[in-house]
Amino acid sequence: MNTPVVRREFPPDPEAVPAARAAIEVLRAQVAPDVFEDLRLMVSELVTNSLRHADLQPNDRISLTAQIDGQVVRVEVDDPGTGFTPPLRNASSPPTSGWGLVIVGQLATTWGVRAD
């Protein structure tokens, strides 16, 4: 079976989040339902991080690449921002914010940030 590769770009506006979730729908039939729901959540959180933390300009784009290779689903969300060190939650962190990368860390087998 030939697995599709998702490659899309989105403008830096709130509609990028649902558009990114819609873009990965082509992968739904390739993975278990619970894995797909985890994938949707991770894509949402990563695109949201780009929107909130990358200081993007209107002409910038957020890129999404997603593909399945055997038992592995690889997702990359890229933006032209300056990058950051993933913040760690602590006792003084607001209770309703800053959970995106914590969620990604709980759902993904491995994850990371690459600056290049």
Side-chain angles (χ1 to χ4, degrees):
M1 176 180 283
N2 198 6
T3 303
V5 176
V6 175
R7 286 190 179 93
R8 294 281 308 274
E9 289 189 345
F10 309 99
D13 63 52
E15 290 303 310
V17 176
R21 284 194 305 259
I24 64 167
E25 280 294 322
V26 298
L27 303 177
R28 181 184 288 275
Q30 308 297 317
V31 297
D34 59 327
V35 172
F36 186 75
E37 290 308 314
D38 289 350
L39 178 61
R40 282 175 41 93
L41 180 55
M42 287 186 283
V43 164
S44 296
E45 295 299 336
L46 293 171
V47 171
T48 297
N49 268 5
S50 286
L51 290 171
R52 287 191 177 172
H53 303 294
D55 194 28
L56 300 176
Q57 302 304 307
N59 290 334
D60 290 335
R61 293 293 175 259
I62 299 167
S63 299
L64 167 69
T65 303
Q67 67 185 77
I68 300 171
D69 184 9
Q71 297 293 311
V72 175
V73 180
R74 181 178 176 93
V75 173
E76 293 183 25
V77 174
D78 186 42
D79 62 61
T82 58
F84 69 106
T85 301
L88 299 175
R89 291 200 48 81
N90 57 44
S92 66
S93 297
T96 58
S97 181
W99 290 99
L101 294 180
V102 173
I103 291 169
V104 170
Q106 292 293 313
L107 297 177
T109 303
T110 61
W111 73 279
V113 176
R114 182 180 68 213
D116 57 0

